[in-house]
Amino acid sequence: MKPVEIAEGIYWVGVIDWNIRDFHGYSTYQGSTYNAYLIMDDKITLIDTVKKPFADELLANIGEIVDPKKIDYVISNHTEMDHSGGLPRVMHKVGEDKPLYCSKMGQKNLSRHFAQAWNYRPVEDGGQLNLGKRTLTFMETRMLHWPDSMFTYVNGEGILFSSDGFGQHYAGLERFDDQVGEAIMPHAKKYFANILLLYAPLILKLVDKVTEMGLSIRMICPDHGIIWRTDPSKIIKAYVDWSEQKPRRKAVVVYDTMWHSTEAMAEAIANALGEEGVDARPLQLRTNHRSNVITEVLDAGAVVVGSPTLNNGLFPTVSDFLTYMKGLKPKNKIGAAFGSYGWSGEAVKLVTKELEEMGFSIIEPGVRVQYVPDDKALDACRELAKKIAAALPK
Ligand code: FEO
């Protein structure tokens, strides 16, 4: 796609990865983009690059506006290779001696990714760079979501280059929020749930800091997906809401099953939750990708996990999901466990232990059923659902 002028003299020069469907274990069912931005000023400046295989496409996009050799400064807001993989090729074209601005951790991390003696210019939090007509301010956003992450802000114009923050894995010809409308929000939510959830407390602090600074934000330009230009406060408010993780009357019943017994239990629990006015959905782990399940977990008050016992342990997809969820550190959740077994039946105990370790409030006891659930067993599932519903906010 050709460059797009997003503000006077500032261009999107990124690339679209239409067919990526797995982004380090996150299912990107609608592809993604790697956004890079070119600021035409007395000092021509490139903000971020793209994934390595797309470096020549980025250079061709830049070439539509200016010869890449004329770029004066390169800024790397984030070291992860979807934004830095193209950096060696870009620096080779732009000039290996050109100043490369990044955070101090950025310098450390880029040096560990690429053995290149680039002309690093590490910047402080609040550091500024004058381009001629414009001045940029750098904001360290350590651990949002890497130690090197930072934002770059265009003073006076209210444009924030936010690296992964406020991004979405969404491939489309649209470049702005108003061109997609509400349909972009599920992508933004999924991105938050899978990439940023564990840093929610830092996000709340960052929003407070930006509010205290009185920073006016007219446009947010992330490194993935569309640019927020219509009402950037909408996505900021959504980030605050998602970060606060206030429990809602919603439950995710996530499970796997071998011979449909644990599935029958999941459906009994979900139906009974529904009868108690809980927004409940049973999600089977071999048909629902973990990254989609965790998106549902984000605003759920309860996570009810079902696993058959396989070889004295958890069913593998359930282990996978629990490991993934544990890493993302969701807060303020109620947890419960259920599952069918043949002869040993350890799974419910193992799930409960995992949920306890994640800080969930456990509804005890979980429901264990040998082989196939009968009416009495399904009643026990419904009782568990009632207890979960009673513990959720009204
Ligand atoms: Fe889009 Fe953290 O990389």
Side-chain angles (χ1 to χ4, degrees):
M1 187 178 166
K2 299 257 184 212
V4 176
E5 189 169 26
I6 60 165
E8 199 182 338
I10 303 181
Y11 296 84
W12 174 87
V13 288
V15 300
I16 302 175
D17 193 350
W18 292 103
N19 290 305
I20 185 167
R21 291 292 178 270
D22 182 326
F23 188 97
H24 60 43
Y26 172 142
S27 86
T28 45
Y29 63 94
Q30 233 170 316
S32 193
T33 71
Y34 313 116
N35 298 339
Y37 301 94
L38 185 71
I39 305 180
M40 295 301 293
D41 207 313
D42 298 348
K43 296 293 183 188
I44 299 172
T45 301
L46 176 68
I47 300 182
D48 289 326
T49 70
V50 296
K51 232 180 184 178
K52 187 176 178 182
F54 297 90
D56 282 334
E57 195 178 330
L58 166 67
L59 286 164
N61 284 347
I62 295 168
E64 296 270 335
I65 299 156
V66 69
D67 182 344
K69 288 191 182 66
K70 293 194 172 152
I71 289 176
D72 297 286
Y73 301 148
V74 177
I75 295 171
S76 168
N77 276 334
H78 179 28
T79 305
E80 196 166 6
M81 285 205 274
D82 47 332
H83 311 296
S84 71
L87 196 56
R89 178 102 183 104
V90 166
M91 293 305 286
H92 181 68
K93 279 278 174 192
V94 167
E96 306 279 359
D97 58 335
K98 297 282 175 70
L100 173 56
Y101 292 88
C102 56
S103 65
K104 285 182 187 162
M105 286 306 292
Q107 177 176 1
K108 251 188 186 174
N109 289 352
L110 284 170
S111 306
R112 285 174 186 157
H113 280 73
F114 310 104
Q116 303 275 352
W118 286 323
N119 180 9
Y120 286 108
R121 303 283 176 95
V123 299
E124 302 281 345
D125 182 39
Q128 299 207 327
L129 177 65
N130 185 267
L131 306 184
K133 295 182 247 338
R134 299 176 183 83
T135 299
L136 305 179
T137 300
F138 301 109
M139 290 172 67
E140 256 195 315
T141 55
R142 212 175 258 225
M143 295 322 297
L144 288 175
H145 69 125
W146 273 29
D148 48 73
S149 298
M150 68 174 193
F151 289 176
T152 299
Y153 178 73
V154 186
N155 296 0
E157 294 182 45
I159 300 174
L160 184 70
F161 296 100
S162 61
S163 182
D164 281 332
F166 310 109
Q168 334 90 48
H169 283 309
Y170 172 79
L173 295 174
E174 311 91 339
R175 293 276 57 83
F176 297 101
D177 50 355
D178 46 285
Q179 295 167 330
V180 184
E182 273 305 304
I184 200 62
M185 291 309 287
H187 295 283
K189 181 180 174 187
K190 182 173 176 179
Y191 192 93
F192 181 95
N194 285 277
I195 306 283
L196 296 168
L197 177 59
L198 71 162
Y199 305 116
L202 294 178
I203 290 170
L204 292 172
K205 275 191 194 160
L206 179 67
V207 172
D208 283 347
K209 180 179 158 183
V210 169
T211 310
E212 276 166 28
M213 287 165 74
L215 218 59
S216 145
I217 297 176
R218 185 171 70 80
M219 188 184 281
I220 299 176
C221 306
D223 275 357
H224 298 287
I226 58 86
I227 293 164
W228 306 92
R229 71 172 173 189
T230 309
D231 178 14
S233 69
K234 181 178 171 177
I235 187 66
I236 296 172
K237 276 186 203 136
Y239 264 50
V240 170
D241 181 43
W242 295 331
S243 297
E244 285 175 341
Q245 298 181 71
K246 287 186 185 148
R248 289 179 171 78
R249 201 165 174 76
K250 171 180 170 181
V252 174
V253 183
V254 57
Y255 68 97
D256 214 327
T257 195
M258 293 169 72
W259 294 104
H260 302 292
S261 290
T262 304
E263 184 162 64
M265 297 170 79
E267 287 175 7
I269 291 168
N271 289 338
L273 283 165
E275 282 162 19
E276 298 293 323
V278 177
D279 172 8
R281 37 198 88 204
L283 299 171
Q284 209 247 52
L285 279 164
R286 271 175 289 160
T287 49
N288 291 278
H289 195 271
R290 68 172 92 84
S291 58
N292 292 329
V293 177
I294 212 74
T295 309
E296 293 300 331
V297 166
L298 176 63
D299 56 5
V303 186
V304 192
V305 181
S307 176
T309 297
L310 177 65
N311 303 330
N312 304 106
L314 293 172
F315 197 75
T317 53
V318 179
S319 287
D320 171 279
F321 172 72
L322 289 169
T323 301
Y324 191 64
M325 183 164 71
K326 191 179 208 169
L328 288 164
K329 298 186 169 63
K331 298 271 184 291
N332 308 326
K333 307 289 184 208
I334 289 164
F338 64 96
S340 153
Y341 66 98
W343 45 96
S344 56
E346 291 90 344
V348 169
K349 201 171 161 190
L350 292 170
V351 168
T352 304
K353 185 169 171 281
E354 288 286 327
L355 296 176
E356 266 171 356
E357 283 175 15
M358 289 179 224
F360 285 30
S361 302
I362 307 296
I363 305 289
E364 295 265 31
V367 183
R368 289 167 78 240
V369 171
Q370 190 167 26
Y371 294 117
V372 178
D374 56 12
D375 287 347
K376 198 173 153 209
L378 292 175
D379 280 343
C381 292
R382 291 181 198 109
E383 280 310 307
L384 177 66
K386 278 187 189 163
K387 286 191 213 164
I388 294 165
L392 283 168
K394 298 290 172 216

PDB file of all heavy atoms in Angstrom, residues 101-130:
ATOM      1  N   TYR A 101      18.014   7.052  17.460  1.00  0.00           N
ATOM      2  CA  TYR A 101      17.496   7.404  18.782  1.00  0.00           C
ATOM      3  C   TYR A 101      16.663   6.253  19.337  1.00  0.00           C
ATOM      4  O   TYR A 101      15.825   5.674  18.629  1.00  0.00           O
ATOM      5  CB  TYR A 101      16.631   8.667  18.695  1.00  0.00           C
ATOM      6  CG  TYR A 101      17.451   9.905  18.368  1.00  0.00           C
ATOM      7  CD1 TYR A 101      17.690  10.265  17.048  1.00  0.00           C
ATOM      8  CD2 TYR A 101      18.005  10.672  19.383  1.00  0.00           C
ATOM      9  CE1 TYR A 101      18.459  11.373  16.741  1.00  0.00           C
ATOM     10  CE2 TYR A 101      18.775  11.788  19.095  1.00  0.00           C
ATOM     11  CZ  TYR A 101      19.001  12.138  17.770  1.00  0.00           C
ATOM     12  OH  TYR A 101      19.774  13.222  17.485  1.00  0.00           O
ATOM     13  N   CYS A 102      16.887   5.949  20.616  1.00  0.00           N
ATOM     14  CA  CYS A 102      16.120   4.910  21.299  1.00  0.00           C
ATOM     15  C   CYS A 102      16.309   5.133  22.796  1.00  0.00           C
ATOM     16  O   CYS A 102      17.106   5.984  23.203  1.00  0.00           O
ATOM     17  CB  CYS A 102      16.611   3.507  20.893  1.00  0.00           C
ATOM     18  SG  CYS A 102      18.362   3.254  21.184  1.00  0.00           S
ATOM     19  N   SER A 103      15.574   4.379  23.608  1.00  0.00           N
ATOM     20  CA  SER A 103      15.786   4.488  25.058  1.00  0.00           C
ATOM     21  C   SER A 103      17.134   3.838  25.391  1.00  0.00           C
ATOM     22  O   SER A 103      17.724   3.141  24.557  1.00  0.00           O
ATOM     23  CB  SER A 103      14.653   3.780  25.798  1.00  0.00           C
ATOM     24  OG  SER A 103      14.705   2.397  25.508  1.00  0.00           O
ATOM     25  N   LYS A 104      17.566   4.025  26.652  1.00  0.00           N
ATOM     26  CA  LYS A 104      18.834   3.381  27.049  1.00  0.00           C
ATOM     27  C   LYS A 104      18.712   1.864  26.957  1.00  0.00           C
ATOM     28  O   LYS A 104      19.619   1.179  26.501  1.00  0.00           O
ATOM     29  CB  LYS A 104      19.182   3.778  28.493  1.00  0.00           C
ATOM     30  CG  LYS A 104      19.702   5.194  28.595  1.00  0.00           C
ATOM     31  CD  LYS A 104      20.072   5.495  30.036  1.00  0.00           C
ATOM     32  CE  LYS A 104      20.436   6.974  30.148  1.00  0.00           C
ATOM     33  NZ  LYS A 104      20.408   7.447  31.523  1.00  0.00           N
ATOM     34  N   MET A 105      17.553   1.354  27.388  1.00  0.00           N
ATOM     35  CA  MET A 105      17.340  -0.093  27.280  1.00  0.00           C
ATOM     36  C   MET A 105      17.238  -0.490  25.810  1.00  0.00           C
ATOM     37  O   MET A 105      17.587  -1.609  25.441  1.00  0.00           O
ATOM     38  CB  MET A 105      16.062  -0.504  28.024  1.00  0.00           C
ATOM     39  CG  MET A 105      16.187  -0.496  29.532  1.00  0.00           C
ATOM     40  SD  MET A 105      17.550  -1.482  30.168  1.00  0.00           S
ATOM     41  CE  MET A 105      16.999  -3.129  29.776  1.00  0.00           C
ATOM     42  N   GLY A 106      16.738   0.432  25.002  1.00  0.00           N
ATOM     43  CA  GLY A 106      16.659   0.177  23.558  1.00  0.00           C
ATOM     44  C   GLY A 106      18.048  -0.057  22.990  1.00  0.00           C
ATOM     45  O   GLY A 106      18.260  -0.990  22.194  1.00  0.00           O
ATOM     46  N   GLN A 107      18.999   0.771  23.399  1.00  0.00           N
ATOM     47  CA  GLN A 107      20.375   0.592  22.905  1.00  0.00           C
ATOM     48  C   GLN A 107      20.906  -0.783  23.318  1.00  0.00           C
ATOM     49  O   GLN A 107      21.482  -1.513  22.510  1.00  0.00           O
ATOM     50  CB  GLN A 107      21.287   1.699  23.444  1.00  0.00           C
ATOM     51  CG  GLN A 107      22.731   1.494  22.995  1.00  0.00           C
ATOM     52  CD  GLN A 107      23.673   2.599  23.395  1.00  0.00           C
ATOM     53  OE1 GLN A 107      23.271   3.568  24.041  1.00  0.00           O
ATOM     54  NE2 GLN A 107      24.921   2.477  22.997  1.00  0.00           N
ATOM     55  N   LYS A 108      20.679  -1.117  24.606  1.00  0.00           N
ATOM     56  CA  LYS A 108      21.140  -2.425  25.110  1.00  0.00           C
ATOM     57  C   LYS A 108      20.514  -3.558  24.302  1.00  0.00           C
ATOM     58  O   LYS A 108      21.197  -4.484  23.861  1.00  0.00           O
ATOM     59  CB  LYS A 108      20.684  -2.581  26.566  1.00  0.00           C
ATOM     60  CG  LYS A 108      21.788  -2.496  27.566  1.00  0.00           C
ATOM     61  CD  LYS A 108      21.224  -2.860  28.936  1.00  0.00           C
ATOM     62  CE  LYS A 108      22.301  -2.635  29.970  1.00  0.00           C
ATOM     63  NZ  LYS A 108      21.789  -2.818  31.313  1.00  0.00           N
ATOM     64  N   ASN A 109      19.196  -3.465  24.133  1.00  0.00           N
ATOM     65  CA  ASN A 109      18.483  -4.575  23.499  1.00  0.00           C
ATOM     66  C   ASN A 109      18.744  -4.651  21.998  1.00  0.00           C
ATOM     67  O   ASN A 109      18.885  -5.743  21.438  1.00  0.00           O
ATOM     68  CB  ASN A 109      16.984  -4.478  23.791  1.00  0.00           C
ATOM     69  CG  ASN A 109      16.675  -4.793  25.249  1.00  0.00           C
ATOM     70  OD1 ASN A 109      17.559  -5.224  25.988  1.00  0.00           O
ATOM     71  ND2 ASN A 109      15.446  -4.578  25.656  1.00  0.00           N
ATOM     72  N   LEU A 110      18.840  -3.505  21.339  1.00  0.00           N
ATOM     73  CA  LEU A 110      19.158  -3.531  19.897  1.00  0.00           C
ATOM     74  C   LEU A 110      20.555  -4.124  19.697  1.00  0.00           C
ATOM     75  O   LEU A 110      20.782  -4.906  18.774  1.00  0.00           O
ATOM     76  CB  LEU A 110      19.079  -2.122  19.302  1.00  0.00           C
ATOM     77  CG  LEU A 110      17.659  -1.583  19.062  1.00  0.00           C
ATOM     78  CD1 LEU A 110      17.696  -0.096  18.708  1.00  0.00           C
ATOM     79  CD2 LEU A 110      16.928  -2.361  17.970  1.00  0.00           C
ATOM     80  N   SER A 111      21.490  -3.770  20.604  1.00  0.00           N
ATOM     81  CA  SER A 111      22.856  -4.305  20.477  1.00  0.00           C
ATOM     82  C   SER A 111      22.859  -5.816  20.622  1.00  0.00           C
ATOM     83  O   SER A 111      23.714  -6.503  20.052  1.00  0.00           O
ATOM     84  CB  SER A 111      23.774  -3.732  21.562  1.00  0.00           C
ATOM     85  OG  SER A 111      23.721  -2.345  21.521  1.00  0.00           O
ATOM     86  N   ARG A 112      21.909  -6.333  21.419  1.00  0.00           N
ATOM     87  CA  ARG A 112      21.846  -7.789  21.613  1.00  0.00           C
ATOM     88  C   ARG A 112      21.123  -8.490  20.469  1.00  0.00           C
ATOM     89  O   ARG A 112      21.224  -9.704  20.320  1.00  0.00           O
ATOM     90  CB  ARG A 112      21.176  -8.112  22.943  1.00  0.00           C
ATOM     91  CG  ARG A 112      22.132  -7.838  24.095  1.00  0.00           C
ATOM     92  CD  ARG A 112      21.479  -8.000  25.429  1.00  0.00           C
ATOM     93  NE  ARG A 112      22.378  -7.586  26.493  1.00  0.00           N
ATOM     94  CZ  ARG A 112      21.983  -7.208  27.695  1.00  0.00           C
ATOM     95  NH1 ARG A 112      20.717  -7.189  27.996  1.00  0.00           N
ATOM     96  NH2 ARG A 112      22.857  -6.860  28.598  1.00  0.00           N
ATOM     97  N   HIS A 113      20.372  -7.731  19.707  1.00  0.00           N
ATOM     98  CA  HIS A 113      19.704  -8.326  18.545  1.00  0.00           C
ATOM     99  C   HIS A 113      20.582  -8.238  17.296  1.00  0.00           C
ATOM    100  O   HIS A 113      20.548  -9.128  16.450  1.00  0.00           O
ATOM    101  CB  HIS A 113      18.380  -7.609  18.260  1.00  0.00           C
ATOM    102  CG  HIS A 113      17.253  -8.043  19.150  1.00  0.00           C
ATOM    103  ND1 HIS A 113      17.153  -7.693  20.464  1.00  0.00           N
ATOM    104  CD2 HIS A 113      16.167  -8.814  18.898  1.00  0.00           C
ATOM    105  CE1 HIS A 113      16.054  -8.221  20.991  1.00  0.00           C
ATOM    106  NE2 HIS A 113      15.443  -8.913  20.066  1.00  0.00           N
ATOM    107  N   PHE A 114      21.304  -7.133  17.179  1.00  0.00           N
ATOM    108  CA  PHE A 114      22.056  -6.877  15.940  1.00  0.00           C
ATOM    109  C   PHE A 114      23.476  -6.451  16.307  1.00  0.00           C
ATOM    110  O   PHE A 114      23.657  -5.474  17.042  1.00  0.00           O
ATOM    111  CB  PHE A 114      21.390  -5.760  15.131  1.00  0.00           C
ATOM    112  CG  PHE A 114      19.907  -5.975  14.931  1.00  0.00           C
ATOM    113  CD1 PHE A 114      18.976  -5.250  15.660  1.00  0.00           C
ATOM    114  CD2 PHE A 114      19.442  -6.922  14.030  1.00  0.00           C
ATOM    115  CE1 PHE A 114      17.613  -5.448  15.500  1.00  0.00           C
ATOM    116  CE2 PHE A 114      18.074  -7.131  13.863  1.00  0.00           C
ATOM    117  CZ  PHE A 114      17.156  -6.394  14.603  1.00  0.00           C
ATOM    118  N   ALA A 115      24.443  -7.165  15.787  1.00  0.00           N
ATOM    119  CA  ALA A 115      25.839  -6.818  16.087  1.00  0.00           C
ATOM    120  C   ALA A 115      26.280  -5.703  15.141  1.00  0.00           C
ATOM    121  O   ALA A 115      26.991  -5.943  14.169  1.00  0.00           O
ATOM    122  CB  ALA A 115      26.708  -8.053  15.928  1.00  0.00           C
ATOM    123  N   GLN A 116      25.783  -4.507  15.403  1.00  0.00           N
ATOM    124  CA  GLN A 116      26.067  -3.376  14.513  1.00  0.00           C
ATOM    125  C   GLN A 116      26.556  -2.201  15.351  1.00  0.00           C
ATOM    126  O   GLN A 116      25.972  -1.902  16.392  1.00  0.00           O
ATOM    127  CB  GLN A 116      24.781  -2.924  13.798  1.00  0.00           C
ATOM    128  CG  GLN A 116      24.091  -4.000  12.993  1.00  0.00           C
ATOM    129  CD  GLN A 116      24.655  -4.133  11.595  1.00  0.00           C
ATOM    130  OE1 GLN A 116      25.470  -3.324  11.166  1.00  0.00           O
ATOM    131  NE2 GLN A 116      24.227  -5.145  10.881  1.00  0.00           N
ATOM    132  N   ALA A 117      27.582  -1.527  14.873  1.00  0.00           N
ATOM    133  CA  ALA A 117      28.106  -0.355  15.609  1.00  0.00           C
ATOM    134  C   ALA A 117      27.372   0.892  15.138  1.00  0.00           C
ATOM    135  O   ALA A 117      27.971   1.808  14.562  1.00  0.00           O
ATOM    136  CB  ALA A 117      29.607  -0.240  15.365  1.00  0.00           C
ATOM    137  N   TRP A 118      26.053   0.913  15.349  1.00  0.00           N
ATOM    138  CA  TRP A 118      25.270   2.059  14.902  1.00  0.00           C
ATOM    139  C   TRP A 118      25.553   3.273  15.786  1.00  0.00           C
ATOM    140  O   TRP A 118      26.059   3.138  16.911  1.00  0.00           O
ATOM    141  CB  TRP A 118      23.772   1.721  14.936  1.00  0.00           C
ATOM    142  CG  TRP A 118      23.356   0.793  13.822  1.00  0.00           C
ATOM    143  CD1 TRP A 118      23.823   0.783  12.540  1.00  0.00           C
ATOM    144  CD2 TRP A 118      22.389  -0.275  13.896  1.00  0.00           C
ATOM    145  NE1 TRP A 118      23.207  -0.209  11.807  1.00  0.00           N
ATOM    146  CE2 TRP A 118      22.317  -0.867  12.612  1.00  0.00           C
ATOM    147  CE3 TRP A 118      21.565  -0.769  14.898  1.00  0.00           C
ATOM    148  CZ2 TRP A 118      21.466  -1.944  12.323  1.00  0.00           C
ATOM    149  CZ3 TRP A 118      20.724  -1.829  14.626  1.00  0.00           C
ATOM    150  CH2 TRP A 118      20.670  -2.402  13.344  1.00  0.00           C
ATOM    151  N   ASN A 119      25.183   4.433  15.267  1.00  0.00           N
ATOM    152  CA  ASN A 119      25.409   5.695  15.979  1.00  0.00           C
ATOM    153  C   ASN A 119      24.254   5.927  16.966  1.00  0.00           C
ATOM    154  O   ASN A 119      23.371   6.741  16.740  1.00  0.00           O
ATOM    155  CB  ASN A 119      25.490   6.824  14.933  1.00  0.00           C
ATOM    156  CG  ASN A 119      25.721   8.168  15.555  1.00  0.00           C
ATOM    157  OD1 ASN A 119      25.994   8.280  16.747  1.00  0.00           O
ATOM    158  ND2 ASN A 119      25.609   9.214  14.752  1.00  0.00           N
ATOM    159  N   TYR A 120      24.297   5.148  18.050  1.00  0.00           N
ATOM    160  CA  TYR A 120      23.195   5.190  19.017  1.00  0.00           C
ATOM    161  C   TYR A 120      23.150   6.532  19.741  1.00  0.00           C
ATOM    162  O   TYR A 120      24.174   7.057  20.157  1.00  0.00           O
ATOM    163  CB  TYR A 120      23.361   4.090  20.068  1.00  0.00           C
ATOM    164  CG  TYR A 120      23.038   2.702  19.556  1.00  0.00           C
ATOM    165  CD1 TYR A 120      24.050   1.768  19.335  1.00  0.00           C
ATOM    166  CD2 TYR A 120      21.729   2.317  19.320  1.00  0.00           C
ATOM    167  CE1 TYR A 120      23.760   0.487  18.878  1.00  0.00           C
ATOM    168  CE2 TYR A 120      21.423   1.038  18.868  1.00  0.00           C
ATOM    169  CZ  TYR A 120      22.439   0.127  18.647  1.00  0.00           C
ATOM    170  OH  TYR A 120      22.149  -1.136  18.205  1.00  0.00           O
ATOM    171  N   ARG A 121      21.958   7.052  19.898  1.00  0.00           N
ATOM    172  CA  ARG A 121      21.735   8.254  20.719  1.00  0.00           C
ATOM    173  C   ARG A 121      20.666   7.919  21.750  1.00  0.00           C
ATOM    174  O   ARG A 121      19.472   8.170  21.522  1.00  0.00           O
ATOM    175  CB  ARG A 121      21.256   9.425  19.852  1.00  0.00           C
ATOM    176  CG  ARG A 121      22.194   9.797  18.708  1.00  0.00           C
ATOM    177  CD  ARG A 121      23.393  10.581  19.200  1.00  0.00           C
ATOM    178  NE  ARG A 121      24.312  10.839  18.095  1.00  0.00           N
ATOM    179  CZ  ARG A 121      24.322  11.943  17.370  1.00  0.00           C
ATOM    180  NH1 ARG A 121      23.462  12.904  17.604  1.00  0.00           N
ATOM    181  NH2 ARG A 121      25.204  12.095  16.404  1.00  0.00           N
ATOM    182  N   PRO A 122      21.073   7.307  22.864  1.00  0.00           N
ATOM    183  CA  PRO A 122      20.061   6.945  23.870  1.00  0.00           C
ATOM    184  C   PRO A 122      19.426   8.189  24.473  1.00  0.00           C
ATOM    185  O   PRO A 122      20.118   9.190  24.706  1.00  0.00           O
ATOM    186  CB  PRO A 122      20.857   6.166  24.913  1.00  0.00           C
ATOM    187  CG  PRO A 122      22.280   6.514  24.678  1.00  0.00           C
ATOM    188  CD  PRO A 122      22.433   6.921  23.254  1.00  0.00           C
ATOM    189  N   VAL A 123      18.126   8.148  24.697  1.00  0.00           N
ATOM    190  CA  VAL A 123      17.411   9.325  25.197  1.00  0.00           C
ATOM    191  C   VAL A 123      16.849   9.049  26.587  1.00  0.00           C
ATOM    192  O   VAL A 123      16.595   7.905  26.955  1.00  0.00           O
ATOM    193  CB  VAL A 123      16.263   9.738  24.235  1.00  0.00           C
ATOM    194  CG1 VAL A 123      16.825  10.085  22.875  1.00  0.00           C
ATOM    195  CG2 VAL A 123      15.193   8.650  24.130  1.00  0.00           C
ATOM    196  N   GLU A 124      16.685  10.121  27.339  1.00  0.00           N
ATOM    197  CA  GLU A 124      16.097  10.049  28.685  1.00  0.00           C
ATOM    198  C   GLU A 124      14.579  10.181  28.565  1.00  0.00           C
ATOM    199  O   GLU A 124      14.081  10.741  27.578  1.00  0.00           O
ATOM    200  CB  GLU A 124      16.580  11.229  29.543  1.00  0.00           C
ATOM    201  CG  GLU A 124      18.076  11.345  29.726  1.00  0.00           C
ATOM    202  CD  GLU A 124      18.606  10.375  30.773  1.00  0.00           C
ATOM    203  OE1 GLU A 124      17.772   9.829  31.533  1.00  0.00           O
ATOM    204  OE2 GLU A 124      19.827  10.149  30.796  1.00  0.00           O
ATOM    205  N   ASP A 125      13.889   9.782  29.609  1.00  0.00           N
ATOM    206  CA  ASP A 125      12.452  10.053  29.687  1.00  0.00           C
ATOM    207  C   ASP A 125      12.267  11.574  29.708  1.00  0.00           C
ATOM    208  O   ASP A 125      12.910  12.267  30.503  1.00  0.00           O
ATOM    209  CB  ASP A 125      11.886   9.435  30.966  1.00  0.00           C
ATOM    210  CG  ASP A 125      10.386   9.625  31.084  1.00  0.00           C
ATOM    211  OD1 ASP A 125       9.697   9.525  30.053  1.00  0.00           O
ATOM    212  OD2 ASP A 125       9.908   9.876  32.201  1.00  0.00           O
ATOM    213  N   GLY A 126      11.474  12.098  28.826  1.00  0.00           N
ATOM    214  CA  GLY A 126      11.262  13.554  28.755  1.00  0.00           C
ATOM    215  C   GLY A 126      12.280  14.259  27.857  1.00  0.00           C
ATOM    216  O   GLY A 126      12.189  15.470  27.650  1.00  0.00           O
ATOM    217  N   GLY A 127      13.241  13.504  27.336  1.00  0.00           N
ATOM    218  CA  GLY A 127      14.234  14.096  26.433  1.00  0.00           C
ATOM    219  C   GLY A 127      13.578  14.631  25.165  1.00  0.00           C
ATOM    220  O   GLY A 127      12.516  14.151  24.753  1.00  0.00           O
ATOM    221  N   GLN A 128      14.199  15.641  24.571  1.00  0.00           N
ATOM    222  CA  GLN A 128      13.585  16.258  23.387  1.00  0.00           C
ATOM    223  C   GLN A 128      14.545  16.235  22.202  1.00  0.00           C
ATOM    224  O   GLN A 128      15.763  16.181  22.373  1.00  0.00           O
ATOM    225  CB  GLN A 128      13.187  17.696  23.708  1.00  0.00           C
ATOM    226  CG  GLN A 128      12.155  17.759  24.848  1.00  0.00           C
ATOM    227  CD  GLN A 128      11.265  18.961  24.805  1.00  0.00           C
ATOM    228  OE1 GLN A 128      11.694  20.024  24.385  1.00  0.00           O
ATOM    229  NE2 GLN A 128      10.028  18.808  25.237  1.00  0.00           N
ATOM    230  N   LEU A 129      13.964  16.292  21.025  1.00  0.00           N
ATOM    231  CA  LEU A 129      14.759  16.313  19.799  1.00  0.00           C
ATOM    232  C   LEU A 129      14.116  17.319  18.844  1.00  0.00           C
ATOM    233  O   LEU A 129      12.946  17.169  18.468  1.00  0.00           O
ATOM    234  CB  LEU A 129      14.769  14.912  19.165  1.00  0.00           C
ATOM    235  CG  LEU A 129      15.496  14.783  17.826  1.00  0.00           C
ATOM    236  CD1 LEU A 129      17.008  15.042  17.992  1.00  0.00           C
ATOM    237  CD2 LEU A 129      15.287  13.385  17.238  1.00  0.00           C
ATOM    238  N   ASN A 130      14.891  18.329  18.485  1.00  0.00           N
ATOM    239  CA  ASN A 130      14.360  19.338  17.568  1.00  0.00           C
ATOM    240  C   ASN A 130      14.629  18.922  16.122  1.00  0.00           C
ATOM    241  O   ASN A 130      15.750  18.557  15.775  1.00  0.00           O
ATOM    242  CB  ASN A 130      15.014  20.702  17.869  1.00  0.00           C
ATOM    243  CG  ASN A 130      14.399  21.788  17.008  1.00  0.00           C
ATOM    244  OD1 ASN A 130      14.906  22.094  15.936  1.00  0.00           O
ATOM    245  ND2 ASN A 130      13.273  22.324  17.448  1.00  0.00           N
TER     246      ASN A 130
END
